[in-house]
Amino acid sequence: MSPNRFSNIKSRRRLFLSVTVLFLLALTACSTAAVNTRMQYWRDEVKLQLPIGTSKRHAEEFFATRGVKLICCVSMSHDKKFHYINERKVASSLLMDYDVVVLLEISPEETVTSVSVQSWGIGL
């Protein structure tokens, strides 16, 4: 094989790799935008409608009117359990699906003590 032909093969491989990387970055950017938009929606809604101290019952009604159910429980540490809602597959990229999750810590008095909005990537 001539040196010129070998150089041409290397150039084609680099070009293919560059195009593949750019394609993957574009897919990830689209997924990130959709997830960020949905996370901001939940942050805004929770800030307006679910302040700290809100009753658990009001929180359940709040989510029900938005088409999701408040579920018990997920544990984020040994001593804390959170109620949550999970919007599945808000966005996808090649091997990953992204969910948006709203976590509520509920006190023994059945009031909201903290709220967190997160994205969870599920896949390979």
Side-chain angles (χ1 to χ4, degrees):
M1 188 181 300
S2 70
N4 199 17
R5 188 170 179 190
F6 181 71
S7 176
N8 193 17
I9 291 172
K10 284 177 70 174
S11 295
R12 286 183 188 171
R13 284 183 182 164
R14 277 191 224 136
L15 176 62
F16 175 77
L17 185 58
S18 297
V19 169
T20 302
V21 167
L22 288 174
F23 176 72
L24 292 174
L25 288 173
L27 281 177
T28 301
C30 291
S31 296
T32 302
V35 170
N36 288 340
T37 298
R38 201 61 187 158
M39 288 177 65
Q40 192 60 52
Y41 164 81
W42 282 115
R43 283 188 193 109
D44 293 344
E45 287 294 299
V46 165
K47 184 177 179 180
L48 290 172
Q49 304 292 328
L50 270 183
I52 301 302
T54 301
S55 71
K56 177 184 169 191
R57 178 139 174 85
H58 178 77
E60 290 169 333
E61 292 168 357
F62 164 81
F63 288 113
T65 62
R66 287 154 181 81
V68 291
K69 183 178 180 182
L70 188 62
I71 301 167
C72 181
C73 287
V74 64
S75 180
M76 301 300 281
S77 69
H78 294 295
D79 59 339
K80 292 186 179 183
K81 290 186 179 168
F82 294 85
H83 288 68
Y84 68 99
I85 64 106
N86 185 4
E87 282 192 319
R88 306 241 336 121
K89 296 184 181 183
V90 171
S92 296
S93 64
L94 287 178
L95 301 173
M96 188 78 76
D97 289 328
Y98 296 95
D99 296 354
V100 172
V101 179
V102 181
L103 299 163
L104 282 90
E105 186 177 5
I106 306 290
S107 73
E109 295 79 28
E110 304 252 315
T111 60
V112 175
T113 58
S114 72
V115 178
S116 175
V117 179
Q118 301 178 1
S119 68
W120 292 356
I122 300 167
L124 297 177

